[in-house]
Amino acid sequence: AASPSERKREGPQWSWFREAKAPRHGFEESVNRDAGPVGLQQAGLLAPASACAAQTVGAPHLSKGGPSTQVRNASQLETQQKMKSVGNIMKITKAMKMVAAARMKGAQRKVEACRGMVDPSIKLFGDNPMVEGKSVTVPITSDKGLCGGVNSQVNRVVKALQDVRADGAEAPRLCIVGDKGRSVLTRGMPESVDFVADQATKQAVTFATASAIAEEILKTDSAASRIVFNKFKSAIAFQPTVATVPSPETIESKPELVEKFDEYELEGPDRSEFLTDLQEFNLASTIYWGMLENGCSEQASRVQAMENSSKNAEEMLSALTIKYNKTRQAGITTELIEIISGAVALEG
């Protein structure tokens, strides 16, 4: 007999509870320790393989939300990663701009002090790139990149100077200073390269470094040396320049240059030895001046390049932020529509 509480709760909604409590006929006998898969399947405890294959099992992290929600979340995560990368790049470019601006000021002071040492020799011997006989071209480039078009301009001038020579003269040889000039000119004119001095501009430029390069150039026995570099004009401008240094034999072969020395009274060695010493010093000082000018132009160009890079990164970060906000707001709007639609469906 049922208790009073059970009689009170009897009804349609509690009928299943009473039936579940009553054991079915033969249940204990059909399910025992020795029952195989057939017996379990007949008892309803083991579903057939076809029924299991028809069910879709999702991964735990994909169980919430539909395919559109998963794609939307992946798109937001990708945008966040791009925003982080662009932000880090912008920090690096701003730091490089500040470092280059500080180095440019120090290089500018050295350039202004060195110009007074080279100007007298240019006024005395001239600066004509047209050379009769064998000549050597010395392009001065940087060893580092991220500095705009400084090195590309020097390389273009060097390629153009290969055709600037007197009739019947030999093709100019190349003595390259800097890794950026080596990577371009050795690929385009490998047969014209005599030697390469790379890693010379990564450290502070000294007169000893320029003198060592000048000694290697003097071994070529050329009639003149043409040093190609970028002359610093301002923080936003530089000019490709060619400085020609004739050899002592070339000076003695031109009467108009010899007459200029005859106007002065010389003491010590004879004129031939004096010209040799003078031109060796003139070549080293010109190379030193060219390395300082090109280094200052490199830092000025790097300031402009890093400033442009920072502006581009800022614009890209702004565009990515707008895209991320639009995607996030679209997701929120879609979720609100789904919630409201579900509520309306339940009320109806």
Side-chain angles (χ1 to χ4, degrees):
S3 62
S5 59
E6 289 180 353
R7 287 197 300 268
K8 185 178 180 181
R9 288 183 297 180
E10 278 186 350
Q13 66 272 23
W14 291 97
S15 60
W16 65 271
F17 181 78
R18 296 290 300 273
E19 293 175 358
K21 291 296 183 179
R24 290 178 294 176
H25 177 71
F27 182 78
E28 290 83 357
E29 291 80 8
S30 61
V31 183
N32 52 40
R33 189 180 302 175
D34 300 328
V38 177
L40 292 176
Q41 184 174 346
Q42 292 175 354
L45 298 181
L46 181 63
S50 60
C52 295
Q55 297 180 358
T56 303
V57 181
H61 62 283
L62 298 179
S63 60
K64 183 178 180 181
S68 60
T69 305
Q70 298 165 9
V71 172
R72 185 165 59 246
N73 293 337
S75 177
Q76 290 180 356
L77 180 61
E78 182 180 359
T79 306
Q80 282 182 333
Q81 292 175 350
K82 289 182 180 180
M83 291 169 60
K84 185 177 180 181
S85 300
V86 173
N88 293 336
I89 292 174
M90 185 171 62
K91 292 179 182 179
I92 294 173
T93 53
K94 286 184 178 181
M96 291 182 65
K97 175 188 172 183
M98 296 176 61
V99 172
R103 290 181 178 179
M104 183 188 68
K105 293 181 180 179
Q108 190 174 357
R109 290 193 295 267
K110 293 182 180 180
V111 166
E112 292 174 354
C114 184
R115 285 177 179 173
M117 183 174 60
V118 182
D119 289 341
S121 62
I122 295 177
K123 293 179 180 179
L124 181 63
F125 301 111
D127 196 16
N128 185 11
M130 181 64 71
V131 179
E132 297 180 358
K134 183 181 178 181
S135 63
V136 58
T137 304
V138 186
I140 298 178
T141 59
S142 65
D143 290 308
K144 298 179 181 179
L146 301 178
C147 54
V150 172
N151 300 309
S152 59
Q153 289 197 14
V154 172
N155 293 330
R156 283 197 296 267
V157 172
V158 170
K159 292 178 181 178
L161 282 177
Q162 293 298 103
D163 299 329
V164 180
R165 60 179 184 268
D167 296 336
E170 299 181 10
R173 309 298 299 173
L174 291 178
C175 297
I176 305 172
V177 178
D179 185 68
K180 297 303 177 181
R182 177 199 60 79
S183 61
V184 176
L185 297 176
T186 54
R187 184 172 61 250
M189 298 175 289
E191 69 282 352
S192 301
V193 179
D194 282 345
F195 83 94
V196 177
D198 56 353
Q199 310 298 325
T201 60
K202 282 190 174 181
Q203 305 296 329
V205 179
T206 60
F207 190 78
T209 303
S211 300
I213 297 173
E215 289 182 3
E216 295 294 331
I217 296 174
L218 290 173
K219 294 179 181 178
T220 59
D221 295 330
S222 58
S225 303
R226 299 181 294 188
I227 294 90
V228 184
F229 57 92
N230 290 291
K231 187 175 182 180
F232 178 78
K233 291 292 185 181
S234 65
I236 59 174
F238 51 88
Q239 179 182 2
T241 305
V242 181
T244 306
V245 181
S247 64
E249 294 78 8
T250 304
I251 295 176
E252 290 182 351
S253 62
K254 295 182 178 181
E256 63 275 10
L257 295 178
V258 176
E259 291 176 357
K260 294 180 180 180
F261 283 96
D262 292 338
E263 297 176 358
Y264 300 92
E265 182 178 353
L266 303 178
E267 296 181 357
D270 56 359
R271 186 175 61 188
S272 178
E273 186 177 353
F274 171 76
L275 288 177
T276 301
D277 296 338
L278 178 63
Q279 288 308 99
E280 288 180 358
F281 173 77
N282 188 19
L283 179 60
S285 60
T286 305
I287 293 175
Y288 178 63
W289 171 54
M291 295 177 69
L292 290 178
E293 291 274 5
N294 196 79
C296 189
S297 301
E298 175 191 351
Q299 299 300 334
S301 181
R302 182 171 286 116
V303 170
Q304 297 298 320
M306 293 301 104
E307 183 178 0
N308 295 334
S309 299
S310 300
K311 289 182 179 179
N312 294 338
E314 188 174 357
E315 293 176 0
M316 187 179 297
L317 183 60
S318 177
L320 289 173
T321 303
I322 294 174
K323 179 183 177 181
Y324 175 77
N325 291 334
K326 285 183 177 180
T327 306
R328 183 175 60 86
Q329 292 170 1
I332 294 173
T333 304
T334 304
E335 292 177 0
L336 288 175
I337 291 174
E338 292 174 354
I339 294 171
I340 295 172
S341 301
V344 172
L346 291 176
E347 292 177 357

